[in-house]
């Protein structure tokens, strides 16, 4: 609702700006009112969002780690290995079922933390 109102205010400001003649624009009060209304709405919405949604949120590090280490995005470092058909983890497929890597090799090649940012 806030976004809809702010978008409407933007249209009002645009129409007001386009209907002004030279430096005498009789729409300036409308434009100023719409701008101040949008500023107030956005500020109040941000404060409400922080109070009612963001405050108190804590990351579930165990769940994040589980999802990260079981994500199929890890397969990019193991192109030849495909564990989705076997119903096992990538690590299990590469080390146990296929035997193409040792556990140490897998752990040195598949480091999700290195995949989430630019490399040096």
């Amino acid at each position: 609702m806030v976004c809809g109102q702010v978008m409407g205010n933007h249209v009002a400001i645009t129409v007001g700006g386009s209907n002004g003649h030279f430096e005498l624009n009789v729409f300036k009060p409308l434009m100023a009112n719409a701008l101040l209304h949008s500023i107030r709405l956005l500020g109040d919405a941000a404060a409400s969002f922080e109070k009612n949604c963001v405050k108190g949120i804590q990351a579930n590090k165990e769940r994040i780690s589980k999802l990260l280490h079981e994500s199929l995005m890890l397969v990019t470092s193991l192109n030849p290995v495909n564990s989705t058909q076997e119903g096992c983890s990538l690590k299990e497929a590469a080390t146990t079922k296929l035997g193409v890597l040792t556990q140490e090799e897998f752990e040195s090649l598949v480091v999700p933390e290195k995949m989430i940012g630019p490399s040096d």
Side-chain angles (χ1 to χ4, degrees), residues 59-103:
N60 183 341
K61 293 179 182 178
E62 183 179 313
R63 175 86 171 132
I64 291 170
S65 179
K66 180 181 182 334
L67 291 173
L68 175 66
H69 289 90
E70 292 179 3
S71 172
L72 285 179
M73 69 142 187
L74 300 177
V75 79
T76 57
S77 64
L78 297 172
N79 259 345
V81 179
N82 183 358
S83 66
T84 58
Q85 295 171 352
E86 299 291 328
C88 60
S89 72
L90 291 172
K91 185 174 186 177
E92 184 182 359
T95 60
T96 307
K97 292 196 183 232
L98 297 174
V100 294
L101 296 171
T102 66
Q103 290 206 4

Side-chain angles (χ1 to χ4, degrees), residues 1-18 27-43:
M1 288 187 282
V2 169
C3 292
Q5 183 63 59
V6 170
M7 288 168 44
N9 288 345
H10 179 265
V11 171
I13 293 168
T14 302
V15 169
S18 69
F27 284 88
K28 280 187 180 178
L30 170 125
M31 295 166 64
N33 183 58
L35 177 64
L36 292 172
H37 186 225
S38 289
I39 291 169
R40 171 60 66 125
L41 275 173
L42 290 169

